């Protein structure tokens, strides 16, 4: 593949954007090399600036569950845009999207739209602290909830010790109210509550982790967190930005039958446009301004064009049988890929949750972030580049998810498996 134009664009981008990008992972820093620049997307395919075509399993990091430029969604966006791009005033489409979401997430009795998952997570944390009058938040190692200061924290020296900043620029005073625990370890959460009685405002997690690769919850883990938080008077917050309408139409809370107090959504609910949301029990949400004292605002919140994209996406996604078919396609792809890796003697540990999946280049089970970090990231990088050269775009990091769309038809799947066979038959020499 030739990437002449992309390399020229890359040189220009690096002059004006730190690392050449507006968000880190797309820089290819995790896998080496330099990124191609996208010219357009259509269905399951991306076309780069040099005209190269790829079957896309990133799908803008999950939102495009109907594929790129889905005609019905494009039409809904154009119609909305033709009525104005935004007003800073209420519009009916906001209510329609919220009602559609609540149909699938009944725990979200009330909700608030914002413009990103980060904004939704930081707002939910503030609301949990305001509602409980407590300060400490427990998050899980390897779970990502956006880049709000209090959530950019790494584990302290012991299980119940307060967290340390995970990057410069985050004052210790901020992360002193965050405790980081291992994912899939309910005993550690019990220990933290025991060490901090009456101080924990909330436990926040991705119920299926998607930002350390895809790691499902261990049996009973989510229900144990539900029991612990209920007993201790803390809120349980499910960050379903990635898993919402990706692992199931009812998210993890429906799939695993564990109801959180607050839920954070994003990605699919915006249909590819910038939308985040947080919501939950009415008695909690009514603590938000204007009815309550907890402040949160956003000029572009509930943007009608973005709302239209999300509403049309969920209307189509909710058609009988569609989500199940998508899940089956992902299952088939994972099974076939697993057989290819086995046939070529490459140990991998595969995970799947609905329409998202991950192939850890590891010869052992991956149950938490420490396990995930034992993966052979150099081998993953060689797989990534070899597949890209064959016209398949996988996530440019071992610690991300692969996503599928309704546009990933049999042709796209066969192209993917043919590419994998070629790549693995050639080997992935170090
Ligand atoms: N954390 C994002 C996906 N889960 C990566 C976005 C980016 O850096 O491009």
């Amino acid at each position: 593949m030739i990437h002449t134009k992309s390399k020229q664009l890359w040189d220009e981008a690096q002059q004006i954007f730190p690392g050449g990008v507006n968000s880190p992972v797309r820089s290819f820093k995790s896998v080496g090399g330099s990124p191609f620049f996208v010219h357009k997307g259509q269905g399951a395919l991306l076309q780069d600036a040099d005209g190269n075509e790829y079957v896309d399993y990133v799908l803008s990091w999950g939102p495009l569950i109907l594929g790129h430029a889905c005609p019905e969604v494009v039409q809904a966006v154009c119609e909305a845009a033709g009525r104005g791009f935004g007003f800073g005033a209420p519009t009916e489409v906001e209510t329609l999207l919220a009602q559609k979401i609540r149909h699938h997430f009944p725990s979200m009795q009330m909700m608030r739209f914002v413009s990103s998952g980060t904004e939704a997570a930081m707002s939910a944390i503030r609301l949990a602290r305001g509602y409980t009058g407590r300060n400490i938040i427990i998050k899980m190692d390897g779970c990502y909830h956006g880049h709000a200061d209090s959530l950019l924290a790494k584990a302290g020296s012991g299980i119940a010790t307060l967290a340390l900043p995970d990057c410069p620029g985050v004052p210790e005073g901020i992360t002193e109210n965050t405790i980081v625990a291992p994912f899939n370890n309910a005993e550690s959460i019990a220990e933290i509550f025991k060490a901090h009685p009456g101080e924990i405002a909330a436990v926040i997690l991705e119920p299926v982790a998607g930002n350390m690769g895809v790691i499902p919850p261990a049996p009973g883990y989510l229900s144990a967190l539900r029991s612990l938080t209920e007993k201790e008077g803390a809120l349980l917050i499910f960050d379903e930005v990635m898993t919402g309408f990706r692992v199931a139409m009812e998210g993890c809370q429906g799939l695993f039958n564990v109801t959180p107090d607050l839920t954070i959504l994003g990605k699919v609910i915006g249909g590819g446009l910038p939308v985040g949301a947080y919501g939950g029990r009415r008695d909690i949400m009514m603590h938000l301004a204007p009815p309550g004292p907890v402040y949160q605002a956003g000029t572009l919140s509930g943007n009608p064009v973005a709302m239209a994209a999300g509403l049309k996406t969920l209307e189509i996604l909710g058609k009988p049988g569609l989500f199940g078919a998508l899940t089956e396609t992902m299952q088939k792809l994972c099974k076939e890929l697993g057989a290819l890796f086995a046939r070529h003697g490459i140990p991998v540990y595969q995970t799947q949750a609905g329409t998202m999946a991950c192939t850890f280049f590891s010869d052992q089970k991956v149950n938490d972030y420490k396990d995930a970090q034992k993966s052979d990231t150099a081998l993953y990088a060689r797989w990534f580049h070899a597949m890209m050269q064959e016209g398949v775009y996988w996530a440019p990091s071992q610690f991300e998810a692969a996503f599928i769309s309704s546009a990933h038809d049999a042709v796209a799947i066969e192209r993917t498996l043919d590419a994998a066979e070629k790549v693995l038959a050639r080997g992935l020499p170090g």
Side-chain angles (χ1 to χ4, degrees):
M1 280 188 175
I2 306 294
H3 292 110
T4 310
K5 180 68 176 173
S6 280
K7 290 221 181 293
Q8 175 208 322
L9 293 172
W10 180 234
D11 290 343
E12 289 172 16
Q14 291 178 88
Q15 303 307 311
I16 200 161
F17 301 124
V21 290
N22 285 295
S23 189
V25 184
R26 64 188 73 171
S27 68
F28 281 18
K29 187 175 180 186
S30 303
V31 292
S34 54
F36 57 79
F37 277 60
V38 177
H39 169 60
K40 71 172 184 177
Q42 192 66 49
L45 303 178
L46 285 180
Q47 188 184 98
D48 72 15
D50 294 280
N52 301 304
E53 198 176 74
Y54 310 88
V55 180
D56 181 15
Y57 288 93
V58 176
L59 294 170
S60 191
W61 301 105
L64 298 169
I65 198 163
L66 301 180
H68 292 283
C70 169
E72 297 95 326
V73 179
V74 170
Q75 183 182 350
V77 166
C78 291
E79 287 171 359
R83 294 191 295 271
F85 285 17
F87 316 104
T91 57
E92 181 187 13
V93 68
E94 296 162 71
T95 305
L96 294 175
L97 178 57
Q99 290 169 339
K100 174 67 72 176
I101 289 170
R102 188 172 59 184
H103 172 73
H104 294 286
F105 287 76
S107 73
M108 298 178 78
Q109 296 169 347
M110 299 191 91
M111 65 189 79
R112 170 77 51 92
F113 287 118
V114 292
S115 299
S116 71
T118 286
E119 198 179 352
M122 63 185 267
S123 305
I125 296 294
R126 183 182 310 127
L127 176 60
R129 286 170 164 157
Y131 174 78
T132 60
R134 303 176 180 183
N135 291 330
I136 296 179
I137 296 291
I138 300 173
K139 77 170 291 287
M140 307 311 160
D141 195 18
C143 283
Y144 179 70
H145 308 289
H147 59 87
D149 279 355
S150 62
L151 294 165
L152 287 181
K154 64 185 176 189
S157 55
I159 277 290
T161 53
L162 305 179
L164 303 168
D166 201 11
C167 76
V170 176
E172 288 194 15
I174 297 280
T175 54
E176 278 174 2
N177 285 308
T178 306
I179 296 179
V180 181
F183 184 71
N184 267 336
N185 182 330
E187 295 72 34
S188 66
I189 305 300
E191 274 184 57
I192 294 167
F193 274 113
K194 194 172 172 187
H196 297 275
E199 298 178 310
I200 311 290
V203 174
I204 183 171
L205 76 159
E206 294 172 79
V208 165
N211 284 287
M212 48 174 148
V214 177
I215 304 179
Y221 175 61
L222 299 179
S223 51
L225 295 186
R226 179 65 286 179
S227 306
L228 275 168
T229 47
E230 252 162 23
K231 174 169 159 280
E232 300 288 344
L235 300 187
L236 179 61
I237 304 175
F238 275 5
D239 179 342
E240 297 222 44
V241 165
M242 189 181 293
T243 56
F245 301 102
R246 269 285 173 192
V247 302
M249 285 298 285
E250 287 68 39
C252 293
Q253 52 198 270
L255 188 65
F256 297 106
N257 195 27
V258 174
T259 303
D261 299 297
L262 292 176
T263 297
I264 301 164
L265 295 176
K267 295 187 191 276
V268 170
I269 67 166
L273 297 190
V275 176
Y278 65 106
R281 284 175 22 207
R282 175 181 298 273
D283 64 313
I284 301 172
M285 293 302 290
M286 289 301 280
H287 272 66
L288 274 177
V294 179
Y295 194 72
Q296 177 267 313
T299 300
L300 298 176
S301 295
N303 175 273
V305 179
M307 296 288 104
L311 181 60
K312 182 55 69 177
T313 295
L314 296 190
E315 284 173 352
I316 295 171
L317 191 60
K319 285 179 182 172
L322 177 56
F323 199 91
L326 268 176
T327 299
E328 282 172 25
T329 302
M330 182 57 99
Q331 279 166 346
K332 174 180 181 291
L333 178 62
C334 291
K335 183 168 178 277
E336 303 277 352
L337 281 175
L340 285 174
F341 280 115
R343 189 152 75 238
H344 293 281
I346 293 185
V348 293
Y349 181 77
Q350 292 179 292
T351 57
Q352 181 205 343
T355 67
M356 52 194 268
C358 181
T359 301
F360 291 100
F361 281 66
S362 174
D363 58 1
Q364 56 187 283
K365 181 175 167 58
V366 178
N367 199 44
D368 61 19
Y369 191 38
K370 284 193 170 20
D371 294 342
Q373 288 176 304
K374 294 171 189 165
S375 302
D376 185 339
T377 52
L379 183 57
Y380 180 86
R382 296 199 294 274
W383 153 261
F384 169 80
H385 282 290
M387 288 293 278
M388 200 180 95
Q389 288 302 319
E390 294 295 333
V392 177
Y393 182 46
W394 226 249
S397 166
Q398 167 71 90
F399 306 113
E400 296 290 351
F403 301 100
I404 206 159
S405 82
S406 55
H408 283 67
D409 58 12
V411 172
I413 299 302
E414 279 313 304
R415 272 177 69 170
T416 305
L417 294 171
D418 290 347
E421 172 55 33
K422 277 184 194 169
V423 162
L424 296 174
R426 284 201 301 263
L428 296 168

